[in-house]
Amino acid sequence: MSPRSEETPNGRAPKGATPEAAARGYDVSTPHPAASGTAPQSQERGTSPSKAGAADRPAAKDAEVAKGAKRAAEPKDAKDPKTAKAAKAGKNADRTRGNATTPPSRPQATTLDPGERRRLLHGAHHDPHAVLGAHPEAGGVRFRALRPFARCVAVLVDDRRIELEAEGDGLFSALAPLAEVPAYRLAVVYDGPEQVVDDPYRFLPALGELDLHLIREGRHEELWKALGAQPMTHGGVTGTRFAVWAPNAQGVRLAADFTFWDGTAFPMRSLGASGVWELFLPGVGPGTAYKFEITRRDGSRQLKADPMARAAEVPPNTASIVTESGYAWGDEAWMAHRGDVPVHRAPFSVYEVHLPSWRPGVGYRELAEQLPAYVKDLGFTHVELMPVAGHPFSGSWGYQVTSYYAPMPRLGTPDDFRYLVDALHRAGIGVIMDWVPAHFPKDDWALARFDGEPLYEPGDPRRAEHPDWGTLEFDFGRTEVRNFLVANAVYWCEEFHIDGLRVDAVASMLYLDYSREGGDWLPNVHGGRENLDAVAFLQEMNATVYRRCPGVVTIAEESTAWDGVTRATHLVGHTGFGGLGFGLKWNMGWMHDSLGYVSHEPVHRKYHHNEMTFSMVYAYSENYVLPISHDEVVHGKQALVSKMPGDWWQQRANHRAYLGFMWAHPGKQLLFMGQEFAQGGEWSHESGPDWWLVDPAYSAAGDHRGVRDLVRELNTVYTATPALWQRDTDQGGFEWIDGGAAEDNAFSFLRYGTDGTPLLCVSHFSPVVRQDYRLGIPPSLAHTVWTPVLNTDDERFGGSGVPVDGALKTESTPWHGRRHSIGLTLPPLATVWLAPLA
């Protein structure tokens, strides 16, 4: 619902409606269409509706604020508008200039060219400003206004009043004997008092030539400042500039809540080869709900939401909202230093959050009071938020985006979302958002066939239709479409201080044959399966974001072996392609292999040992994130703890040991909400995480709190141990001790910091205790004394409490091909970390 509207017994009605809106029947007694943004049946133009039918008329009202109405200089005691007009006309008739008498105040109207009239009234006119407004012609200045359902219209010039004659269909016109076009306003009467408004058709374009040039070139990196709805002061008058890219349209008109979703009164002008249509509407400001009425090539019309809208109505309503931010940020310290250390050499532990369900029913402002404290307490360095951009279905991940520039409105306003990001930053937590540039839904009010032709999508259905998701793919080869997406990435980083973009479904963008059978896809110009346009888009997006937004990281959700996902764009690999330029890439192979291993009973794990070690074969081919994400705990895949074999104790022990292995493995880590306390049920958008599991009133709460305590300890030790993150992308930061202990279900390795300080990790996925388990130690650590810094089997985490001996001295006992070794006790189903004793 629009911020300026509320539910009434008769429908939606405006808050703070302008006098003109009320004069045209837009008040609390006026019913709206059943769904916002849907145009009602229109009456025949040029007829004056009766008061009995006023509630049903599509009164196409312009909603300009009627400030300056006193300029009409009506007699204060004139209660009848017609009497006031007559009095003014009499005053004007008595005025003389020298010996010449002022011409009559009601000049004769002339008929508009039939073709111009038809195009104007049917929404197919490319330049309504050439017909409407004021223009010099033989004999003076022609004034023409399009005011459907107005009873009368007059032009006010200084203290003069010029009555316009009705031409029918809401058109009013007069030729005034003036030497040049003056500054003027319109006085309009509908069913109520006269309203004095600024004429939208007296203003020059509010969009500059440089903006149009950059849009044509596809290089407007601040596109959101050029297109969409921009509140502004133009020609000394406050209002909103509306601009939309629709190159295939015959005409575009603005329809809004104040016009009852009828666009007749406000046709927009084409700005030439740019394909942009523009209109400045005086008096329209934040809170206005609007759409664009597109006249297609076949003459049919469709109401479309603004692709560049920076705010949107709450679904199922579909209109765009005029908005203007007044937010004052408080995260200066965070922004100044977030890029001090490159992300691949910094701690990076991510808590993934589905915003609408983390605390169901809670908005952005309330989340800002709860989420930062929770994440900070658990020691995560970042949150990854999903979904962020507006989308129709509240129960989804938000991967069918309909409002790319508008934060999801269900939880609050754009400034409310800024407040949440600000609160996370002030708590020292970075913010990553899930970003979806691969595809968009087919909703007829959104991007699909936006101006009646394929525009954001390719024209060939073999490239447009996505076979898996019932969506449309973007036409990455079109400069304006690529600009739309590149600017969108910059927009979130600059306008909302987002620290990272996790880019969804990159593989589906890179391959033309993704999920397509032979014959259902078109090869590229070289006959290959690579989508060259998508490659160019991703390279441009990454290069632009890294250039403009220091400290921001881009992360690819890419599941294939594409070469160079996280390589710089100017470096060409063996495949002939430059790098895509991402900062990090999700390691989907590690995720699938490791989850496959731990899902087996311990007795069978020795046959799958390589599933846990294979990731080290390619660990340094890209900069990786290890994701246990939302995708792995829904749709029958089970929650993480439920994937584990054994009884409840063994499931939790496996869960804890796996997390210990994950945090120690090279690469950053990501964990979806609910998995931090071993929630057993799959995620539900209606209930979110099962918080009752950690409620002290629940008898088994200790089991779940123990796992959460482990996650807190993992993050605490991780952040304080540079060996676990400084050299994530440097193969010199890792060394196997024994990667082949399949019979023992054990994995042991060393991690090193840049100064050579080691951390020893041993993950043991067998339910037995192994005494004096020996590990060979490299010669450089021959004199090291080791002490445990983490044991996932600790009783406080819900483990059995088998201790790992402290102060383990390296002995001169050859083992694993090394001259020195240590012997320690391995707890059952546990991961142990040991560090040099200080």
Side-chain angles (χ1 to χ4, degrees):
M1 185 177 296
S2 165
R4 58 178 282 175
S5 60
E6 59 187 3
E7 289 291 341
T8 71
N10 295 313
R12 296 173 61 252
K15 291 181 178 179
T18 65
E20 184 174 356
R24 301 184 66 169
Y26 195 82
D27 57 26
V28 292
S29 66
T30 305
H32 259 229
S36 176
T38 303
Q41 292 296 317
S42 298
Q43 291 177 284
E44 184 178 351
R45 298 294 176 209
T47 60
S48 295
S50 66
K51 289 183 180 291
D56 296 325
R57 70 174 185 261
K61 169 232 156 261
D62 61 3
E64 297 108 334
V65 177
K67 60 185 179 180
K70 292 183 179 179
R71 295 184 187 178
E74 295 179 350
K76 294 183 179 179
D77 58 348
K79 296 181 180 180
D80 184 347
K82 293 184 179 180
T83 303
K85 295 174 199 168
K88 282 184 176 277
K91 286 184 179 181
N92 289 334
D94 292 336
R95 291 189 178 160
T96 61
R97 183 173 298 166
N99 296 324
T101 302
T102 303
S105 59
R106 290 180 180 271
Q108 292 297 310
T110 58
T111 303
L112 185 63
D113 175 80
E116 297 265 30
R117 182 188 187 95
R118 182 175 60 255
R119 291 193 297 273
L120 185 65
L121 295 176
H122 287 82
H125 204 295
H126 76 285
D127 190 11
H129 290 70
V131 179
L132 302 176
H135 302 279
E137 64 176 65
V141 173
R142 171 70 59 186
F143 295 94
R144 180 172 282 110
L146 177 56
R147 297 284 164 162
F149 304 103
R151 295 185 180 279
C152 56
V153 180
V155 170
L156 305 179
V157 180
D158 296 327
D159 58 352
R160 295 184 59 188
R161 180 185 188 90
I162 303 169
E163 298 290 342
L164 305 187
E165 295 293 334
E167 295 182 337
D169 296 321
L171 285 166
F172 296 83
S173 171
L175 178 66
L178 300 172
E180 58 184 14
V181 175
Y184 70 94
R185 307 185 88 199
L186 298 179
V188 188
V189 176
Y190 296 101
D191 285 340
E194 181 176 276
Q195 306 298 321
V196 178
V197 297
D198 285 292
D199 184 3
Y201 297 94
R202 75 174 178 85
F203 293 91
L204 293 171
L207 198 60
E209 284 299 323
L210 178 59
D211 287 312
L212 295 176
H213 171 75
L214 292 174
I215 290 170
R216 288 194 299 268
E217 292 290 317
R219 301 293 180 186
H220 205 309
E221 295 177 0
E222 296 181 336
L223 190 64
W224 67 94
K225 296 181 180 179
L227 300 182
Q230 302 289 332
M232 64 192 311
T233 298
H234 181 46
V237 176
T238 59
T240 297
R241 180 195 68 207
F242 295 89
V244 63
W245 178 60
N248 299 307
Q250 281 199 64
V252 180
R253 303 190 291 195
L254 185 78
D257 51 7
F258 57 75
T259 74
F260 291 176
W261 307 107
D262 181 281
T264 305
F266 299 118
M268 303 172 70
R269 66 177 142 207
S270 169
L271 297 182
S274 66
V276 174
W277 300 76
E278 182 262 2
L279 180 67
F280 174 73
L281 272 187
V284 172
T288 300
Y290 70 98
K291 282 188 175 183
F292 295 114
E293 185 185 79
I294 307 290
T295 301
R296 306 183 182 104
R297 286 177 174 173
D298 63 3
S300 62
R301 292 192 290 271
Q302 174 74 52
L303 285 176
K304 289 283 193 175
D306 183 359
M308 301 294 301
R310 289 174 290 127
E313 286 192 308
V314 177
N317 292 332
T318 58
S320 305
I321 303 293
V322 179
T323 188
E324 188 172 35
S325 176
Y327 189 75
W329 290 91
D331 62 349
E332 294 84 0
W334 171 271
M335 295 295 288
H337 296 288
R338 67 178 181 178
D340 287 354
V341 180
V343 67
H344 60 280
R345 296 204 300 267
F348 194 86
S349 182
V350 184
Y351 183 61
E352 188 182 34
V353 178
H354 183 263
L355 281 171
S357 67
W358 189 73
R359 297 283 189 184
V362 172
Y364 293 130
R365 295 270 174 174
E366 294 80 8
L367 282 168
E369 303 303 319
Q370 301 176 37
L371 184 60
Y374 183 79
V375 175
K376 187 176 182 65
D377 175 64
L378 291 184
F380 288 98
T381 65
H382 291 72
V383 291
E384 184 171 303
L385 305 180
M386 61 179 306
V388 174
H391 57 283
F393 178 45
S394 62
S396 72
W397 299 127
Y399 287 143
Q400 299 212 4
V401 177
T402 49
S403 298
Y404 272 83
Y405 284 79
M408 178 179 53
R410 296 175 184 86
L411 305 186
T413 68
D415 276 356
D416 291 338
F417 180 65
R418 287 182 174 92
Y419 183 83
L420 171 59
V421 175
D422 200 2
L424 286 161
H425 282 173
R426 285 184 278 112
I429 299 162
V431 180
I432 302 162
M433 71 169 280
D434 224 348
W435 189 54
V436 191
H439 60 116
F440 58 92
K442 297 179 180 178
D443 299 76
D444 60 5
W445 51 269
L447 292 181
R449 300 184 70 88
F450 182 77
D451 58 5
E453 306 291 333
L455 187 64
Y456 288 89
E457 68 272 35
D460 192 315
R462 288 172 293 180
R463 286 196 176 180
E465 298 277 346
H466 197 290
D468 288 345
W469 305 316
T471 55
L472 296 171
E473 298 184 17
F474 281 103
D475 185 355
F476 299 111
R478 189 159 192 165
T479 56
E480 297 92 343
V481 174
R482 196 161 63 239
N483 192 176
F484 173 82
L485 293 169
V486 171
N488 188 245
V490 174
Y491 169 77
W492 288 107
C493 298
E494 293 189 354
E495 294 291 325
F496 293 91
H497 292 195
I498 294 297
D499 304 297
L501 300 172
R502 179 268 189 184
V503 183
D504 180 65
V506 172
S508 73
M509 301 164 66
L510 292 175
Y511 296 99
L512 295 167
D513 62 346
Y514 186 90
S515 290
R516 291 178 171 91
E517 301 296 332
D520 293 336
W521 60 280
L522 291 174
N524 62 34
V525 293
H526 305 297
R529 57 196 286 258
E530 300 85 2
N531 189 333
L532 304 181
D533 293 330
V535 171
F537 156 67
L538 291 170
Q539 291 173 329
E540 180 183 350
M541 180 276 297
N542 282 312
T544 305
V545 167
Y546 278 104
R547 171 171 49 82
R548 290 188 60 117
C549 309
V552 168
V553 61
T554 59
I555 308 167
E557 189 253 331
E558 205 282 321
S559 56
T560 74
W562 183 279
D563 175 60
V565 173
T566 59
R567 190 172 63 236
T569 57
H570 66 281
L571 298 177
V572 177
H574 68 275
T575 60
F577 288 99
L580 296 182
F582 284 94
L584 297 168
K585 171 183 173 177
W586 275 20
N587 194 334
M588 311 295 282
W590 171 89
M591 178 270 297
H592 285 296
D593 289 346
S594 63
L595 289 179
Y597 174 86
V598 295
S599 67
H600 292 292
E601 292 285 347
V603 69
H604 300 301
R605 284 174 175 166
K606 63 183 178 181
Y607 303 111
H608 301 273
H609 193 78
N610 67 317
E611 293 176 10
M612 288 288 267
T613 59
F614 180 66
S615 59
M616 289 311 303
V617 173
Y618 60 87
Y620 301 103
S621 62
E622 302 280 3
N623 305 334
Y624 282 116
V625 175
L626 312 179
I628 300 299
S629 72
H630 61 280
D631 278 333
E632 309 316 315
V633 297
V634 293
H635 308 315
K637 295 181 182 179
Q638 300 181 303
L640 181 58
V641 72
S642 298
K643 299 176 190 289
M644 307 298 175
D647 58 23
W648 174 231
W649 187 93
Q650 289 182 327
Q651 283 184 310
R652 286 183 292 120
N654 276 298
H655 183 101
R656 293 192 305 269
Y658 181 77
L659 292 180
F661 174 80
M662 173 182 173
W663 255 250
H665 190 284
K668 314 306 180 181
Q669 59 273 341
L670 175 143
L671 189 67
F672 183 61
M673 65 184 195
Q675 313 316 299
E676 78 274 17
F677 57 83
Q679 172 178 316
E682 288 189 344
W683 169 83
S684 164
H685 74 270
E686 294 177 346
S687 59
D690 292 334
W691 295 111
W692 56 271
L693 293 172
V694 292
D695 190 324
Y698 175 55
S699 60
D703 294 346
H704 298 276
R705 284 173 170 260
V707 175
R708 189 167 65 178
D709 289 342
L710 169 67
V711 171
R712 182 187 296 108
E713 188 72 7
L714 284 169
N715 279 325
T716 300
V717 178
Y718 167 81
T719 305
T721 308
L724 290 173
W725 42 264
Q726 274 186 338
R727 301 176 72 181
D728 271 326
T729 60
D730 174 8
Q731 59 186 359
F734 177 90
E735 182 179 2
W736 279 114
I737 291 178
D738 188 1
E743 293 292 335
D744 301 331
N745 294 349
F747 308 86
S748 53
F749 53 87
L750 287 160
R751 297 292 307 278
Y752 295 98
T754 54
D755 63 356
T757 302
L759 181 84
L760 172 59
C761 174
V762 186
S763 289
H764 179 220
F765 290 98
S766 181
V768 300
V769 178
R770 299 191 187 277
Q771 302 287 349
D772 195 27
Y773 192 79
R774 194 149 291 275
L775 302 171
I777 299 297
S780 61
L781 303 174
H783 304 291
T784 304
V785 177
W786 302 88
T787 185
V789 293
L790 182 128
N791 177 5
T792 65
D793 189 52
D794 197 303
E795 286 183 337
R796 62 195 173 108
F797 305 138
S800 61
V802 173
V804 178
D805 300 329
L808 297 170
K809 293 183 179 180
T810 303
E811 302 170 351
S812 298
T813 303
W815 210 263
H816 291 141
R818 298 178 175 96
R819 296 174 59 185
H820 300 85
S821 64
I822 61 171
L824 72 160
T825 299
L826 285 188
L829 297 173
T831 291
V832 176
W833 294 353
L834 300 103
L837 186 65

